[in-house]
Amino acid sequence: QVQLVESGGGLVQAGGSLRLSCAAAGRTFSTYAMGWFRQAPGNSREFVAGITKSGRRTYYADSVKGRFTISRDNAKNTVSMQMNSLKPEDTAVYYCVADPVGGSWSVSGMDYWGKGTLVTVSS
């Protein structure tokens, strides 16, 4: 089992940057693909970014490509996401996820979820 704890959310003006981090408890972190989903008020959860177990490949939603960068450190059991050029529509609760299989990047395919961290982007 993997326990995930997010940090780094907050309030930022449009055009600004934030860096989200996720700490994973467990000795098998490197056996999980990791990712970030988000849920805006009134919307369903959506995929934002994902990274393979080795960290060699990354995946992004079209809405964040070129602005967000996901990375992982398997030695420290952490995954991070640098968010630049933030827009008001990026306002959401951001969830760290872990998937022992990898590749689907669907809500139903993620085995473990953190409790989320709120990102608010003001216009």
Side-chain angles (χ1 to χ4, degrees), residues 95-112:
Y95 298 91
C96 178
V97 297
D99 177 13
V101 176
S104 71
W105 305 120
S106 64
V107 171
S108 61
M110 299 299 108
D111 277 25
Y112 301 104

Side-chain angles (χ1 to χ4, degrees), residues 10 22 41 45-46 48 59-60 63-64 81 85 95 97 103 113 116 118 122:
C22 173
R45 289 188 186 185
E46 63 176 5
V48 177
Y59 305 85
Y60 297 96
S63 58
V64 306
M81 184 165 68
S85 302
Y95 298 91
V97 297
W113 294 76
L118 177 62
S122 64

Side-chain angles (χ1 to χ4, degrees), residues 5-25:
V5 179
E6 303 96 336
S7 61
L11 173 64
V12 64
Q13 288 189 330
S17 299
L18 279 176
R19 185 176 180 84
L20 302 184
S21 295
C22 173

Side-chain angles (χ1 to χ4, degrees), residues 57-115:
R57 296 194 68 177
T58 56
Y59 305 85
Y60 297 96
D62 288 343
S63 58
V64 306
K65 272 181 187 174
R67 299 188 298 122
F68 292 10
T69 303
I70 188 172
S71 60
R72 68 186 294 161
D73 185 335
N74 285 347
K76 296 182 178 179
N77 284 14
T78 58
V79 60
S80 299
M81 184 165 68
Q82 178 68 38
M83 306 187 297
N84 298 328
S85 302
L86 283 161
K87 305 175 181 179
E89 50 263 44
D90 293 319
T91 295
V93 176
Y94 283 72
Y95 298 91
C96 178
V97 297
D99 177 13
V101 176
S104 71
W105 305 120
S106 64
V107 171
S108 61
M110 299 299 108
D111 277 25
Y112 301 104
W113 294 76
K115 293 185 177 180

